[in-house]
Amino acid sequence: MAYILVVDDDADISAALEVVLKNSGYEVDVAMKTEVGWEKLEERIPDLMVLDVMFPGNDSEGFEFARKVRGDNRFKSLPIVMMTAVNQSFPFGFSADDIDDEWLPVSEFLEKPVDFEELKAKIEALLKK
């Protein structure tokens, strides 16, 4: 059973992700803050991480956290699915086309509200790699 770490400050989204992913047969852990997410990463390396972009007090914290994770050799190959509503809040226009090893070092990028079937399909594909 694959272990997935969800790092998202939205309690409703985190709870929904936890239910959907557990019902799909995954072991799921949730961190509502990136600091807690880092602690959980150090305790146990997940098979995949689902990460939000905007956190209270820092609208780009998820981007920064993804860079921190990728900067640690232990997590270089960790698949990261980034989910965000940043495009609804700001006129940036982020998409999967912006994924790169330096600026946006994630494996997949999804807009919120997330289509759970699409998310599950992307997770399955990443875990098969």
Side-chain angles (χ1 to χ4, degrees):
M1 171 185 326
Y3 166 54
I4 298 175
L5 175 61
V6 174
V7 183
D8 193 317
D9 66 299
D10 186 307
D12 293 333
I13 291 173
S14 294
L17 285 170
E18 186 172 19
V19 168
V20 167
L21 296 174
K22 281 184 175 180
N23 286 341
S24 296
Y26 299 110
E27 181 182 353
V28 181
D29 201 356
V30 174
M32 304 287 284
K33 297 179 179 182
T34 56
E35 297 85 7
V36 176
W38 186 257
E39 291 170 6
K40 290 181 181 284
L41 281 170
E42 290 191 316
E43 290 171 9
R44 180 177 177 200
I45 298 174
D47 296 296
L48 183 138
M49 180 170 62
V50 177
L51 175 63
D52 188 21
V53 171
M54 295 188 299
F55 287 80
N58 185 347
D59 289 336
S60 64
E61 189 167 340
F63 294 133
E64 294 164 15
F65 188 65
R67 288 187 209 105
K68 178 180 178 178
V69 169
R70 286 286 189 251
D72 188 310
N73 283 331
R74 296 174 293 173
F75 312 120
K76 284 276 188 205
S77 63
L78 174 66
I80 300 172
V81 176
M82 181 166 273
M83 300 185 323
T84 187
V86 72
N87 290 334
Q88 296 167 14
S89 301
F90 300 98
F92 298 139
F94 292 114
S95 73
D97 295 337
D98 296 309
I99 292 172
D100 69 35
D101 291 340
E102 297 295 319
W103 189 78
L104 187 57
V106 300
S107 309
E108 290 285 348
F109 187 90
L110 293 172
E111 288 281 333
K112 287 182 179 177
V114 171
D115 176 314
F116 290 120
E117 293 305 314
E118 180 183 10
L119 174 64
K120 289 189 306 184
K122 288 186 182 287
I123 287 173
E124 287 175 27
L126 288 168
L127 290 174
K128 286 181 182 176
K129 286 186 178 180

